Amino acid sequence: MSQPSDNRGRTVETIRRMLAARLRAAGIDTPELEARLLVGAALGLDLTGIVTAAGRAITEGESGRLEAFVQRRLAGEPVARILGTKEFWGLPLHLSAATLVPRPDTETVVERALELLRTDGATDRALRIADLGTGSGAILLALLSELPNARGFGTDISTEALQTASRNAAELGLADRASWIICNYGSGLTGTFDLIVSNPPYIRTSDIAGLATEVRDHDPHAALDGGADGLDAYRALISQSVGLLASGGVLVVEVGLGQSDDVEGLMTASGLSPTGPPRADLGGIPRAVSARRLPR
């Protein structure tokens, strides 16, 4: 681990450069970005502020705060956990110990859902959307930000997660169109939904020990563990979704590497009709699997 550094009296720009070098030496993949984020958080500066304040010396208090952040990062804690926030779909979201850190891969769920709604000419309709296992509310709030007439319902088994999602909705100005329900996936929902989305736990139990430190030691295990084959959550939520989808309604879920065929098979076996090949993430991995309840 890199040795602690006494930053007192150094300028903001010098500190930023020194921190980037420490992170790079520690094997951090994006040292320049993370250095800017940590310096900004410790000094209360946004990117513009870091630039305009580049020549000023940092105070003893700022130095202490920054070094505490750095030691947490070098110990494997993700920057998003240290900052307590993460951007998803261009939206700033608060995190808590009960929520996953939203990842860019999950944006494929939003993309596929919007694509299908546009194909149906439904983006201006008064849609009912459910996000099963909502966590921070990332997927649901992204969709509500794009669908001005939609109403969303986020479920989770964690009260803390729902409190975090509710806070995010309020700060994004979406609270009047979002409701939060404590239950297991869709078990506490009533009525029908035009769109159901989910990023459920899909890591095989035996694989969790081998995950990166940032995930294994800092993301909630309940949001990671998908059972022996990684498919337990899909079995539950697909079965529930069949009874909750409106005629013609769509289910879109995130899947892990190599799971798309199995999840599509579960959907088909439950009477849903796949809507086409899974949408791949930026790495080319099939990530968003979708199926429709055929009109009755």
Side-chain angles (χ1 to χ4, degrees):
M1 180 181 295
S2 176
Q3 293 298 312
S5 176
D6 185 353
N7 298 319
R8 291 172 296 179
R10 300 183 186 275
T11 67
V12 172
E13 176 61 14
T14 299
I15 291 301
R16 185 194 65 75
R17 292 179 181 274
M18 290 174 60
L19 176 52
R22 290 175 69 188
L23 296 176
R24 187 179 300 107
I28 303 297
D29 289 337
T30 54
E32 295 288 345
L33 172 61
E34 296 196 12
R36 288 198 299 272
L37 291 172
L38 292 175
V39 169
L43 278 60
L45 299 173
D46 59 15
L47 178 58
T48 301
I50 292 175
V51 173
T52 57
R56 81 160 174 85
I58 73 169
T59 68
E60 182 174 355
E62 290 170 340
S63 177
R65 282 195 299 277
L66 178 58
E67 190 58 34
F69 288 165
V70 173
Q71 291 304 313
R72 289 168 64 183
R73 182 64 188 106
L74 294 177
E77 187 172 353
V79 167
R81 293 282 180 204
I82 297 170
L83 305 184
T85 61
K86 178 69 173 180
E87 185 175 286
F88 180 85
W89 201 258
L91 306 175
L93 299 175
H94 293 283
L95 308 177
S96 68
T99 67
L100 289 173
V101 175
R103 293 172 174 82
D105 293 345
T106 303
E107 293 188 352
T108 59
V109 174
V110 180
E111 291 166 354
R112 171 49 61 89
L114 292 173
E115 175 186 38
L116 292 170
L117 292 174
R118 291 187 186 110
T119 298
D120 293 344
T123 54
D124 292 327
R125 287 172 41 201
L127 302 168
R128 279 170 53 90
I129 302 171
D131 181 6
L132 310 184
T134 193
S136 64
I139 298 175
L140 183 60
L141 296 174
L143 288 167
L144 291 180
S145 75
E146 298 284 350
L147 302 167
N149 297 316
R151 178 162 187 83
F153 300 79
T155 74
D156 208 287
I157 57 172
S158 167
T159 300
E160 182 181 358
L162 293 179
Q163 290 171 340
T164 303
S166 178
R167 177 186 180 186
N168 285 328
E171 295 194 7
L172 293 170
L174 298 170
D176 61 332
R177 294 193 286 126
S179 300
W180 311 102
I181 301 160
I182 186 163
C183 66
N184 190 39
Y185 302 118
S187 62
L189 296 176
T190 58
T192 59
F193 296 85
D194 305 287
L195 172 65
I196 298 177
V197 291
S198 184
N199 175 22
Y202 55 70
I203 306 298
R204 293 179 180 86
T205 304
S206 60
D207 291 342
I208 291 178
L211 295 174
T213 300
E214 286 88 345
V215 177
R216 183 191 64 231
D217 294 345
H218 297 282
D219 275 339
H221 276 220
L224 299 173
D225 193 343
D229 64 357
L231 301 175
D232 283 358
Y234 299 105
R235 294 187 182 95
L237 73 87
I238 290 171
S239 175
Q240 294 170 1
S241 295
V242 171
L244 291 169
L245 282 170
S247 177
V250 173
L251 170 65
V252 186
V253 299
E254 179 174 335
V255 301
L257 177 65
Q259 293 180 321
S260 59
D261 287 346
D262 288 333
V263 172
E264 188 172 288
L266 291 171
M267 290 176 169
T268 301
S270 294
L272 300 177
S273 178
T275 59
R279 188 178 184 94
D281 62 23
L282 292 176
I285 296 170
R287 190 63 70 179
V289 177
S290 55
R292 185 185 300 277
R293 180 163 188 172
L294 294 177
R296 291 167 286 184

